[in-house]
Amino acid sequence: MVDILGGRHLVTCKGAAVEAEAALQNKVVALYFAAARCAPSRDFTPLLCDFYTALVAEARRPAPFEVVFVSADGSSQEMLDFMRELHGAWLALPFHDPYRQARVLHHHPGWSAVLWSQLPATSNSWVQAILLPQPPK
């Protein structure tokens, strides 16, 4: 994952910037695509939060697992509000990050988001994207 996010900053739910390379080094990373307005996202996020909290609590420090939230929200304020309300202590790609806007997040009918992966075939990173189906309109 450092292959993709290296040189970038991530943010905490309190808005603090964290260097992605340092935070994700030697960890399995789950990219979590969600939005506050998406009912399945709102249902699943507390479950992911509980899982993450339990896994990190049981692991030796530093925990070998990290969640990076990739917002499909309509604004940075909506993203931060969603993070503060339901998220765990995981990190997020900043709302205005060009990578989030241009390469990672691609809206697709019927899904919260779809990952447009640019991992090279030789990458040794582990990536898990969590995609939630949206209910039919």
Side-chain angles (χ1 to χ4, degrees):
M1 187 52 61
V2 173
D3 302 348
I4 295 175
L5 298 175
R8 298 197 174 294
H9 285 91
L10 302 172
V11 294
T12 67
C13 61
K14 295 181 180 180
V18 176
E19 287 188 32
E21 196 166 337
L24 304 178
Q25 191 68 41
N26 298 319
K27 294 185 178 184
V28 174
V29 177
L31 297 178
Y32 179 48
F33 297 82
R37 68 185 178 277
C38 174
S41 293
R42 294 188 69 77
D43 292 342
F44 181 74
T45 300
L47 300 174
L48 180 60
C49 179
D50 292 345
F51 170 78
Y52 174 86
T53 302
L55 185 67
V56 170
E58 293 176 13
R60 285 185 305 165
R61 301 282 182 225
F65 176 71
E66 190 61 62
V67 173
V68 175
F69 171 53
V70 183
S71 174
D73 290 305
S75 71
S76 58
Q77 188 60 53
E78 188 179 16
M79 173 185 151
L80 286 174
D81 290 346
F82 184 43
M83 289 174 67
R84 289 178 182 138
E85 179 187 355
L86 293 176
H87 286 208
W90 56 69
L91 303 169
L93 198 58
F95 186 81
H96 295 291
D97 187 290
Y99 191 76
R100 178 201 159 274
Q101 294 175 337
R103 295 188 184 101
V104 175
L105 198 58
H106 174 70
H107 296 283
H108 185 275
W111 291 92
S112 299
V114 174
L115 173 66
W116 178 22
S117 176
Q118 294 190 346
L119 278 175
T122 59
S123 174
N124 61 357
S125 299
W126 289 84
V127 178
Q128 177 67 49
I130 302 169
L131 305 174
L132 297 174
Q134 293 181 347
K137 293 183 181 185

